[in-house]
Amino acid sequence: MYYNENSILYLDGQWLKASEAKVNLYSQTMHHGNGVFEGIRSYGSAAGPNIFKAKEHFERLKFSAERMAIKFPYSVDELVKISYELIEKNNLENAYIRPLIYLGANMKLITCGETHIMMAAWEWPPYLGDESLKVMISSYQRPNPKSIPIEAKVTGNYTNSILATNEAKREGYDEALLLDSDGYVSEGSGQNFFFVKDGVIYTPPLGNILPGITRATIIEYAMELGYPVVEKLFVPEDMRGGEVAFFTGTATEIASISSIDDIEFKKDWKETVAYELFQMYRSRVTNEELSESAVG
């Protein structure tokens, strides 16, 4: 359950109890998947709640709306301010924040001009848990970037993720890893992907993946620590003999992977660069000195 009767959310300029909020059942977002959203985390620190990379997340929300020709009636700074008010009203520090831009009633296949914004927050532990994951290569491919805007967080895009996750769970795995239409490794159902081999960190390039904010953060940290990061296309077989693999994402944070199909990673998670990056991430998201820079 993501809310209780006392949970407060923001809806079109009003603060409401989640149980009192209403949406038009003819919403284009509900019927045709034309809406955009973000996932953002707040962390408690000595200086109070730190909404990590808030500005970057709301800039991406705006970008996603523009890609879908959806009107975006708020400034990024306004949305950052609302997000801090939201967690304060819900008495939260460590929280997951979900802004959603959804559309009004429209059954036509052209973007509806009526725009609504909702923002909610709740406590949510890491999406994939804390244990090392058993992952399968999904039979579902990531959509071709010429068919939908892969680089935008569009609600309808995630039907692909649901199918892949359902398949993985059904087959006894924890999560799915999807390939693109050319057979190259793309990303998880809702996470970016990395693996380490011979001391080099590899990750798929932009173009057929979501440009993850946590992904960019981990690349930045790795370079700061002096580890080589290579963004390139690769196939599953290229990962064989690797030391470790991991997913990144706002909801997921950093999640270790023990195996992908029959490919097993040979090093203990806590003895790898991935774990060092995980510790660095956890340290920085809760550091009061970063609060101001994270908000922007």
Side-chain angles (χ1 to χ4, degrees):
M1 193 70 166
Y2 300 122
Y3 68 91
N4 57 46
E5 61 183 12
N6 295 316
S7 294
I8 302 297
L9 57 76
Y10 181 88
L11 179 62
D12 292 339
Q14 294 183 295
W15 296 102
L16 302 171
K17 288 185 178 180
S19 58
E20 297 173 352
K22 297 180 180 180
V23 61
N24 191 313
L25 292 179
Y26 295 91
S27 164
Q28 188 178 66
T29 304
M30 184 177 294
H31 286 266
H32 296 137
N34 190 16
V36 297
F37 70 98
E38 271 298 318
I40 312 171
R41 276 201 187 270
S42 169
Y43 296 90
S45 75
N50 170 28
I51 301 180
F52 190 65
K53 304 282 187 178
K55 183 177 180 181
E56 289 87 340
H57 278 285
F58 286 117
E59 286 174 342
R60 188 171 65 182
L61 182 68
K62 181 179 179 181
F63 168 80
S64 297
E66 290 171 348
R67 288 289 282 114
M68 296 302 296
I70 294 172
K71 293 180 181 177
F72 196 83
Y74 290 81
S75 72
V76 167
D77 288 342
E78 286 175 314
L79 292 175
V80 171
K81 182 175 182 293
I82 290 167
S83 66
Y84 272 96
E85 290 180 26
L86 174 69
I87 57 174
E88 181 180 359
K89 288 180 181 293
N90 285 283
N91 195 30
L92 295 171
E93 282 199 342
N94 294 295
Y96 181 83
I97 301 167
R98 171 54 61 88
L100 170 70
I101 306 290
Y102 70 94
L103 302 179
N106 190 331
M107 293 296 107
K108 295 181 179 180
L109 297 179
I110 186 170
T111 301
C112 176
E114 181 185 326
T115 301
H116 300 271
I117 182 168
M118 185 279 295
M119 200 182 304
W122 61 88
E123 291 183 342
W124 206 16
Y127 177 68
L128 295 176
D130 299 318
E131 299 297 321
S132 203
L133 304 170
K134 181 182 176 185
V135 174
M136 73 170 285
I137 302 292
S138 180
S139 67
Y140 293 97
Q141 296 177 337
R142 270 297 186 218
N144 189 305
K146 292 185 178 181
S147 64
I148 59 174
I150 292 293
E151 73 278 13
K153 285 185 75 72
V154 181
T155 58
N157 291 4
Y158 284 77
T159 54
N160 174 250
S161 302
I162 291 169
L163 288 168
T165 302
N166 285 348
E167 178 187 47
K169 297 290 187 182
R170 190 168 57 245
E171 296 296 324
Y173 292 85
D174 300 307
E175 183 55 287
L177 180 65
L178 291 87
L179 308 182
D180 66 19
S181 56
D182 294 317
Y184 294 110
V185 173
S186 178
E187 55 189 344
S189 65
Q191 312 85 18
N192 291 121
F193 175 78
F194 293 79
F195 81 99
V196 182
K197 187 174 181 179
D198 298 327
V200 178
I201 302 170
Y202 295 95
T203 190
L206 300 181
N208 200 13
I209 64 170
L210 181 76
I213 290 169
T214 307
R215 172 187 181 273
T217 299
I218 292 304
I219 291 173
E220 174 190 329
Y221 291 175
M223 295 176 68
E224 184 178 330
L225 292 172
Y227 292 108
V229 179
V230 176
E231 299 178 67
K232 62 172 287 185
L233 296 172
F234 55 87
V235 297
E237 192 64 21
D238 293 332
M239 300 184 291
R240 198 172 296 278
E243 291 107 60
V244 68
F246 57 100
F247 285 128
T248 65
T250 297
T252 298
E253 299 184 310
I254 302 173
S256 68
I257 297 170
S258 61
S259 65
I260 300 174
D261 287 349
D262 67 337
I263 300 172
E264 295 191 1
F265 296 97
K266 57 188 181 183
K267 280 197 174 181
D268 181 87
W269 162 246
K270 292 188 177 180
E271 297 176 355
T272 67
V273 57
Y275 187 68
E276 186 177 357
L277 290 168
F278 168 73
Q279 290 182 305
M280 187 174 183
Y281 176 83
R282 290 295 308 178
S283 175
R284 291 199 172 181
V285 296
T286 58
N287 190 326
E288 63 185 76
E289 294 177 0
L290 294 185
S291 296
E292 184 176 347
S293 62
V295 173

